[in-house]
Amino acid sequence: MAFDKDAIIASLKEASISDLNDLVKAIEEEFDVSAAAPVAVTGAAGGDAAAKDSFTVELTEPGAAKVKVIKAVKDITGVGLKDAKDLVDGAPSAIKEDVKEDEANDIKEKLEAAGATVTLK
């Protein structure tokens, strides 16, 4: 007998909740599996993620207005024009690391205003 997934799906659509519950229990017993969703265990790192206080501003994509983005990177980082161009050409690249959230958001706004795509990490 061939496996007919369409027939099985049609049968499941017509089944009651009670029938589906019984089916899940039978499958769990037959194949020694559990249909319960896995529970993530959070340790000390999980608590630190909520209170993150330093960010890295990453230029993901320079966009169409590359010259404006290069100028913005130069102004933000204080590097020379060639170094700013290298950062933009090397995207994705970290523009500024270990900055506070307010400063990171400010940098992100400036780069996005110039046409870039930015990610905070």
Side-chain angles (χ1 to χ4, degrees):
M1 181 173 155
F3 182 77
D4 187 2
K5 69 176 171 121
D6 293 331
I8 293 171
I9 291 172
S11 296
L12 291 174
K13 285 181 180 179
E14 296 174 9
S16 69
I17 297 296
S18 177
D19 290 339
L20 292 174
N21 187 37
D22 291 342
L23 174 64
V24 169
K25 287 180 182 177
I27 290 172
E28 286 177 333
E29 289 176 15
E30 179 69 27
F31 297 105
D32 194 26
V33 295
S34 173
V39 177
V41 178
T42 58
D48 292 344
K52 187 171 183 173
D53 59 351
S54 67
F55 294 85
T56 298
V57 180
E58 180 182 85
L59 175 69
T60 310
E61 179 83 26
K66 197 172 182 181
V67 174
K68 288 182 181 179
V69 175
I70 291 171
K71 287 179 181 179
V73 168
K74 180 181 176 294
D75 292 340
I76 291 166
T77 60
V79 298
L81 192 58
K82 183 184 180 329
D83 292 332
K85 183 181 182 304
D86 290 343
L87 281 171
V88 172
D89 288 341
S93 57
I95 300 302
K96 213 156 190 190
E97 297 177 346
D98 296 326
V99 293
K100 300 246 184 253
E101 185 176 8
D102 292 341
E103 183 181 359
N105 286 326
D106 186 46
I107 293 169
K108 181 180 178 183
E109 286 176 19
K110 288 178 183 176
L111 290 171
E112 287 177 343
T117 304
V118 180
T119 305
L120 297 181
K121 292 185 175 183

